[in-house]
Amino acid sequence: MDNRPDIVSKAAWRILPILMICYFAAFLDRVNIGFAALTMNQDLGFSASVFGFGAGIFFLGYILCELPSNLLLVRFGARIWIARILITWGILSAATAFVWNPASFYIVRVLLGAAEAGFFPGMIFYMTLWFPREYRARMFATFNIAVPLSSMIGAPVSSLIIEYMNGLHGLAGWQWMFVIEAAPAVIMGIVVLLALPESPRTATFLREDERIWLSGRLEAERARQESKERFTIGRALTDPRVLLMCLIAVGLVMGTTGIAIWMPQFVKAFGLSNLQTGFVTAIPSAFMALAMIVVGRHADKTGERVWHAAGPFLVSAAGFVLAALSTNPVVGLIGLTIGAAGIGGASPNIWIFPTTLLTGAAAAAGIALINSVGSTGGFFGPTIIGWVRDATGGFSGAQLVLAGVMAVTACAILVLGRSMREMMQRPAAPLSATPREVRS
C-alpha cells in the first residue's frame, strides 16, 4: 500500500477542521474581553489594574481544574468530555455580559476558566492519538492557526458588534458581543458529540486496512518510546524535563495571552477609533498565522525542533523591544507584528517536546501539568501589563517585559533541547512499513 501519507492527510482533513473551529471558539471567548475593555471599562468604572486582574484570574479556575479535567477526558473519552467543556464555557462566556462590578467580573472569569480547563491539553493529547510524530509540528501549527484567526476575524467582528449594536434592547455593545460570540462554543459542543471519532480504531471514514495501518503505526511509536524510557503518571509530574517544559509554557502563555488581551489597547494607543482598532489589530494576527504555518512545515521538513522553537522567541523579543522604543505608530505596529509572529512561529514546536517524551496516560497527565503551570502565565501576563500600564501611564514598559519573557523562554528551550537531543533526533518508523511490520 503506497498511499500511507494519504491516510494521515485523510485523517487531518476529517479531524482538524472540527478541532480548529472548537479552538477558534475557545480563544475568541478568551480574548474578546480585550475588545470589551474598549468600552466596558468606562461603563463599569474599571481601572487598568482591575481589568488586568480580572482578565488574568480566568486562569485560577483553569489551573485548579486542568489536571483532573484531562484525566477525566482519558476516562470518559474525548468526544463526550470536549463537548461538555465547550457547552459549559459557552454558557459562562455569555454570562460575562451581565457583570456589574469587579467582584462579579472576577467570579465569572474564574468559573469560565474552570469550565474551559482541560480543553487545550485535551486537544494536544487527542492529536497524539491520530498523528505520527513526524507530522505533529504541521498538525499542531494548523490547529494553532485558530489563535490568530480568532483575532483576525474576531477583532473586526467584535468592533462592529460593539459599535453598531450598542444600546439595542437596552444592552451595551460589549454585552451583545459576549452573548453573540458565546454561541459558537455551544454549537461546536453539539457538533463534537455528533461528529468527532474517538480514535483511528473507531473511525468510520477510514477503510479497515487504513485503520489497521494508522493504529499500528502509532502503537509502534509508543512501544519504541516506552522501550527507551517509560513514564508513569507520577514520574511524568516530577521529571526535571517536564518541569522545564512547564517554565517554557509559562513564557509561551504570557506572550500569547498578553498580546491577545492587550493588543487592542496597544493599537488603540496609536490614536485610532474603536472600529479602526479592530481592523488594525488583525494585522499582527495575520502574520502570526503565517509564521505558524511556515515554521511548522519547515520544522517537519528538516526534523529540527529546538531552534525552530527558540529562534522565533528571540525574534519576538526583538519585535517587542522595537515596539517599546518606537515613537512612530507605523514602526510600533511593525514591532508588535514581529512580536506576535515570533510567538506564532514558536508555538507549534513547543508541544513536540512533551509528546515526544511522554506516552499514554502519562502524556495526558504530563501535558495537563505543563499546560496548567503554563497557564499561570495567562494570569501574570495580563496582570503585570495592567500594573505596569497604571504605574507608567504607557505601554512601553509592558512591551519590554514581554521582550524579556520571550528571551528567557528561548534560553529555557535551548537548555531543554540539549537534554533531549538524542530523543529529538531519533528517527521515526518508516512510512513504508506494512501493518504486519509495524506490529512486530
Side-chain angles (χ1 to χ4, degrees):
M1 186 168 58
D2 297 324
N3 65 337
R4 286 172 180 80
D6 291 342
I7 298 175
V8 178
S9 178
K10 190 175 181 179
W13 278 105
R14 176 63 172 75
I15 292 167
L16 283 179
I18 296 174
L19 302 186
M20 288 178 65
I21 296 172
C22 289
Y23 197 29
F24 174 90
F27 222 79
L28 180 64
D29 285 344
R30 185 180 296 186
V31 304
N32 60 10
I33 190 73
F35 296 99
L38 298 175
T39 55
M40 179 186 73
N41 287 359
Q42 182 176 354
D43 289 351
L44 300 181
F46 290 174
S47 67
S49 297
V50 168
F51 168 75
F53 183 77
I57 204 173
F58 164 95
F59 290 94
L60 176 61
Y62 192 91
I63 292 163
L64 292 176
C65 298
E66 182 88 321
L67 181 56
S69 180
N70 222 38
L71 293 176
L72 287 169
L73 179 142
V74 176
R75 179 176 178 181
F76 291 108
R79 183 174 60 87
I80 292 175
W81 198 249
I82 292 171
R84 192 283 304 163
I85 291 172
L86 285 159
I87 293 169
T88 53
W89 103 49
I91 293 170
L92 284 164
S93 182
T96 312
F98 305 103
V99 301
W100 65 93
N101 62 13
S104 62
F105 180 47
Y106 299 157
I107 291 170
V108 169
R109 292 289 293 174
V110 169
L111 292 176
L112 180 60
E116 192 179 323
F119 176 74
F120 180 77
M123 294 286 97
I124 295 295
F125 175 70
Y126 180 73
M127 283 191 282
T128 68
L129 303 179
W130 285 89
F131 302 118
R133 183 193 304 174
E134 70 268 29
Y135 291 95
R136 287 179 188 166
R138 75 193 77 173
M139 297 306 171
F140 292 168
T142 303
F143 170 68
N144 271 282
I145 287 176
V147 174
L149 279 180
S150 67
S151 293
M152 288 172 59
I153 298 173
V157 169
S158 297
S159 297
L160 288 168
I161 292 172
I162 291 172
E163 184 79 14
Y164 292 108
M165 296 191 71
N166 187 45
L168 182 65
H169 298 302
L171 295 179
W174 60 267
Q175 292 177 300
W176 278 114
M177 183 201 68
F178 282 123
V179 172
I180 292 170
E181 294 182 356
V186 177
I187 293 169
M188 289 309 300
I190 298 170
V191 170
V192 164
L193 278 175
L194 299 175
L196 192 68
E198 289 287 353
S199 70
R201 290 189 180 279
T202 60
T204 58
F205 66 88
L206 294 175
R207 300 192 310 267
E208 178 66 19
D209 60 324
E210 293 173 333
R211 290 197 293 269
I212 291 173
W213 180 84
L214 185 54
S215 297
R217 173 61 183 275
L218 291 162
E219 288 169 6
E221 282 194 357
R222 259 191 314 271
R224 186 171 61 250
Q225 169 57 30
E226 291 175 0
S227 70
K228 299 288 184 179
E229 194 168 12
R230 184 179 180 89
F231 281 77
T232 62
I233 292 177
R235 185 183 170 195
L237 300 180
T238 57
D239 186 273
R241 289 165 294 182
V242 174
L243 299 180
L244 186 56
M245 292 176 199
C246 291
L247 174 63
I248 293 167
V250 170
L252 174 64
V253 176
M254 283 189 72
T256 55
T257 308
I259 63 170
I261 290 177
W262 284 97
M263 185 67 80
Q265 295 187 63
F266 287 169
V267 172
K268 180 73 181 292
F270 296 150
L272 304 179
S273 68
N274 289 342
L275 195 58
Q276 290 171 331
T277 295
F279 284 93
V280 173
T281 298
I283 295 173
S285 300
F287 281 90
M288 189 178 189
L290 179 63
M292 284 181 180
I293 291 296
V294 171
V295 178
R297 288 186 177 275
H298 194 265
D300 276 349
K301 181 178 179 180
T302 62
E304 199 285 326
R305 307 295 181 183
V306 176
W307 278 104
H308 280 83
F313 274 127
L314 293 175
V315 171
S316 178
F320 286 126
V321 170
L322 177 64
L325 299 181
S326 173
T327 57
N328 184 299
V330 175
V331 176
L333 180 62
I334 291 172
L336 291 175
T337 300
I338 293 172
I343 294 172
S347 58
N349 287 289
I350 294 299
W351 295 103
I352 297 295
F353 296 104
T355 60
T356 297
L357 183 66
L358 306 171
T359 60
I367 293 169
L369 175 68
I370 293 164
N371 195 61
S372 180
V373 175
S375 294
T376 62
F379 170 76
F380 290 117
T383 302
I384 290 172
I385 290 173
W387 287 344
V388 174
R389 169 69 176 82
D390 278 346
T392 63
F395 288 116
S396 294
Q399 290 159 1
L400 289 175
V401 169
L402 284 174
V405 171
M406 298 303 98
V408 170
T409 305
C411 293
I413 292 169
L414 294 175
V415 173
L416 176 65
R418 186 170 184 175
S419 69
M420 291 183 62
R421 182 175 299 162
E422 179 184 353
M423 186 174 297
M424 298 301 294
Q425 293 175 346
R426 186 176 301 141
L431 277 172
S432 59
T434 66
R436 181 173 297 179
E437 289 170 352
V438 171
R439 289 196 299 271
S440 63

